[in-house]
Amino acid sequence: VIICYMDRTNLSIAIIPMAEQFQWDKATTGVILSSFFFGYITTQILGGWLADNFGGKLVLGVGVVLWSIFTMLTAPAAIFSGAIGIVVARVAMGLGEGVTFPAVYSILSNWTPVTERARAISFTMSGTGVGSIAALLLTPPIIVGLGWEYAFYLFGMLGICWWIAWHFLVSSTPEKHTRISPAETALIRADSNSAPDRVKLPLRAMFSHSAVWAIIVAYFCANWVSFVFLAWFPTYVYEELGVDLASVGFVAVGPALIGAIGMNCWGWVADSLLRRDISIISVRKIMNSAGVGASAAMLFTIGFISSVPLIITLMCLSSFFGSAAMSGMGANPLDIAPRHAGTLMGIVNSIASIPGIIGVAATGLILDATGSWTLVFWSLGGVATFGMITFAIFASSDRLFE
């Protein structure tokens, strides 16, 4: 997950010198930043189904190799074919990254007892923040020292190196692991609500259930906020706040760092509440509503602030509180469909990745038309609030799909 977000985030920094070199306007930049998601959406459901039936280890490993290759090809594509070339490379990279979270959920459904799921999901997903931090901190000095091309070459090679370790150390289920004890396998299976055997996929039922759509809408809105931040926040820091390119990463890293810390803190809180016999659905809704509600309030407030230190502080607080949602909507797929967690996450993330296309591109259009970053922040707060309300009304923790 760290490498996944390093490879998708580095472009948000590299696009600044690239746009200057190739003379791209904001609308073109928005299309390039969003192009990744055309591929990302395509492989979500297939990746989840493959992971549930053939193992998350294989699916995730293939995905990382694929996206790493196209990460390294991003620079040549831009140099020789311009905007069209980089769009093609980013779409192909998205095809590889699309299997990531469905495969992760498939693996975790087999490896985590119910009372450890919020922590497991939060810890794993905090890799999104760590990966963003790594990209934001490493990309600027690489660009300054070697050129923007090397941000793609070096990050792509990291994924290939990771795959070697993954191949030898990981298994999709406890039963296939060579170094786990029978006692630990029994402990996991006794409380995991999952099993390694294959079962019929209730795809039609998933699409027709309100609890599934509650997760989809919540993820859709959360991703709208997250993807716009990933793509545009460095540009906001550079152009609106007046930070020089070499320092952009250090300023932009704050919200990502606080969000990664917050995910793990809230995961412990959620699992602690479960151990105190508070119902699963109550915990999921409390974490989601309190976290997203506070985060949205910060986003609305930013539109009225002109102080740069205060803006950065509010951004960090928004990220910290918003990360609590991973213990709410984020853990919920494992509650309602543990045997189909990969497939369900594929459905959820496929639809919830649409903001990566329309949200990121629309932000470029808003900025070209109005030049107003305040309008961007207000729109993010509104979207986050809608997702919070939908999950609070329709979410369920019952095991709905066998």
Side-chain angles (χ1 to χ4, degrees), residues 384-401:
T385 301
F386 179 76
M388 173 197 71
I389 294 172
T390 302
F391 188 84
I393 295 173
F394 295 107
S396 172
S397 65
D398 295 337
R399 184 172 179 175
L400 303 175
F401 308 106

Side-chain angles (χ1 to χ4, degrees), residues 249-287:
F250 290 99
V251 176
V253 77
L257 174 61
I258 297 301
I261 294 171
M263 278 192 196
N264 288 284
C265 293
W266 296 122
W268 280 95
V269 170
D271 284 342
S272 296
L273 292 175
L274 287 177
R275 290 195 298 271
R276 295 180 183 181
D277 294 328
I278 298 176
S279 68
I280 295 175
I281 191 57
S282 295
V283 171
R284 301 295 183 239
K285 290 186 176 182
I286 288 170
M287 301 306 296

Side-chain angles (χ1 to χ4, degrees), residues 198-231:
R198 298 182 191 177
V199 290
K200 184 178 179 181
L201 177 63
L203 194 59
R204 181 178 298 179
M206 286 183 176
F207 274 108
S208 63
H209 206 290
S210 61
V212 172
W213 283 100
I215 300 173
I216 290 172
V217 172
Y219 254 100
F220 184 97
C221 295
N223 280 355
W224 187 293
V225 177
S226 176
F227 293 157
V228 168
F229 267 114
L230 282 175

Side-chain angles (χ1 to χ4, degrees), residues 68-330:
S68 297
I69 290 172
F70 281 99
T71 296
M72 289 185 283
L73 290 175
T74 300
I79 292 169
F80 293 109
S81 301
I84 294 176
I86 194 172
V87 165
V88 171
R90 293 290 289 184
V91 169
M93 178 187 162
L95 291 172
E97 286 208 7
V99 306
T100 304
F101 295 109
V104 165
Y105 269 70
S106 180
I107 292 171
L108 291 181
S109 71
N110 284 295
W111 278 95
T112 54
V114 172
T115 54
E116 297 179 8
R117 281 182 177 160
R119 279 174 288 166
I121 289 292
S122 296
F123 180 69
T124 304
M125 298 299 281
S126 67
T128 62
V130 176
S132 299
I133 291 166
L136 291 169
L137 291 180
L138 294 176
T139 304
I142 290 173
I143 292 174
V144 172
L146 300 173
W148 59 262
E149 302 91 339
Y150 284 87
F152 301 105
Y153 297 147
L154 296 176
F155 284 15
M157 283 300 302
L158 182 61
I160 302 299
C161 294
W162 170 91
W163 176 82
I164 297 173
W166 177 257
H167 178 72
F168 288 104
L169 297 177
V170 173
S171 68
S172 297
T173 64
E175 288 78 8
K176 295 180 180 179
H177 203 284
T178 58
R179 295 178 302 280
I180 191 173
S181 69
E184 187 177 0
T185 300
L187 176 65
I188 292 171
R189 286 301 178 203
D191 193 31
S192 69
N193 282 344
S194 185
D197 55 305
R198 298 182 191 177
V199 290
K200 184 178 179 181
L201 177 63
L203 194 59
R204 181 178 298 179
M206 286 183 176
F207 274 108
S208 63
H209 206 290
S210 61
V212 172
W213 283 100
I215 300 173
I216 290 172
V217 172
Y219 254 100
F220 184 97
C221 295
N223 280 355
W224 187 293
V225 177
S226 176
F227 293 157
V228 168
F229 267 114
L230 282 175
W232 285 106
F233 190 52
T235 300
Y236 170 73
V237 171
Y238 177 69
E239 294 185 353
E240 188 73 5
L241 303 187
V243 177
D244 64 273
L245 179 60
S247 303
V248 163
F250 290 99
V251 176
V253 77
L257 174 61
I258 297 301
I261 294 171
M263 278 192 196
N264 288 284
C265 293
W266 296 122
W268 280 95
V269 170
D271 284 342
S272 296
L273 292 175
L274 287 177
R275 290 195 298 271
R276 295 180 183 181
D277 294 328
I278 298 176
S279 68
I280 295 175
I281 191 57
S282 295
V283 171
R284 301 295 183 239
K285 290 186 176 182
I286 288 170
M287 301 306 296
N288 208 77
S289 297
V292 177
S295 177
M298 305 296 172
L299 293 174
F300 284 124
T301 304
I302 289 173
F304 299 98
I305 303 298
S306 58
S307 167
V308 173
L310 184 54
I311 287 173
I312 298 300
T313 300
L314 289 173
M315 294 291 296
C316 290
L317 288 173
S318 177
S319 182
F320 177 77
F321 287 111
S323 66
M326 198 49 60
S327 298
M329 66 168 191

